[in-house]
Amino acid sequence: METVSTKEVVTKLGNQSINVLVLCAGAGTSAMLANAITEGAKETGATISASAGAYGSHYEIMKNFDMIILAPQVNSFYEDIKKDTDALGIKLAATKGAEYIKLTRDPKGAISFVLSYFD
């Protein structure tokens, strides 16, 4: 995935802000990607915020987010959560092992990943 530039972020987002929830089994792994997204937002000027959570604790708060990213260990719940995200108009992304690790180490790449779900 190509890294996004600050100009591309501003062009794509305009005045829109995106609130992302990253879910894993216990909120530890998801914090790594949430932190990368937060860092990437600072680096690019993107109005994107990210929070980490444990799958199962998201039901009450998911309506407050524009996008949910599933860490690899909770990918098996994709179809279950997809019904809820579709009903609420929330973007849903599932990640695989190597992809997830790469995103946690590439803040600008993490921003590109998030933006790829918004047109």
Side-chain angles (χ1 to χ4, degrees):
M1 177 169 293
E2 243 177 78
T3 303
V4 69
S5 73
T6 301
K7 183 179 177 186
E8 290 169 317
V9 168
V10 172
T11 301
K12 187 147 189 160
L13 283 179
N15 291 327
Q16 178 186 9
S17 62
I18 298 172
N19 198 9
V20 178
L21 176 61
V22 184
L23 295 174
C24 69
T29 306
S30 57
M32 293 168 37
L33 182 52
N35 290 339
I37 292 169
T38 299
E39 185 180 328
K42 288 178 190 168
E43 290 177 9
T44 62
T47 50
I48 298 174
S49 59
S51 302
Y55 191 91
S57 66
H58 65 281
Y59 294 107
E60 295 299 316
I61 61 169
M62 66 189 290
K63 65 184 177 294
N64 301 322
F65 293 89
D66 304 299
M67 179 178 191
I68 294 176
I69 301 173
L70 299 178
Q73 67 266 45
V74 293
N75 271 350
S76 60
F77 299 113
Y78 183 87
E79 291 304 322
D80 293 335
I81 193 172
K82 180 92 171 109
K83 295 170 193 155
D84 295 329
T85 57
D86 284 353
L88 294 167
I90 300 168
K91 309 282 185 192
L92 178 63
T95 57
K96 293 193 167 48
E99 173 190 39
Y100 190 87
I101 292 166
K102 183 176 183 223
L103 291 173
T104 64
R105 296 176 179 168
D106 180 9
K108 287 184 179 179
I111 294 299
S112 295
F113 178 81
V114 170
L115 290 177
S116 71
Y117 285 82
F118 293 85
D119 289 328

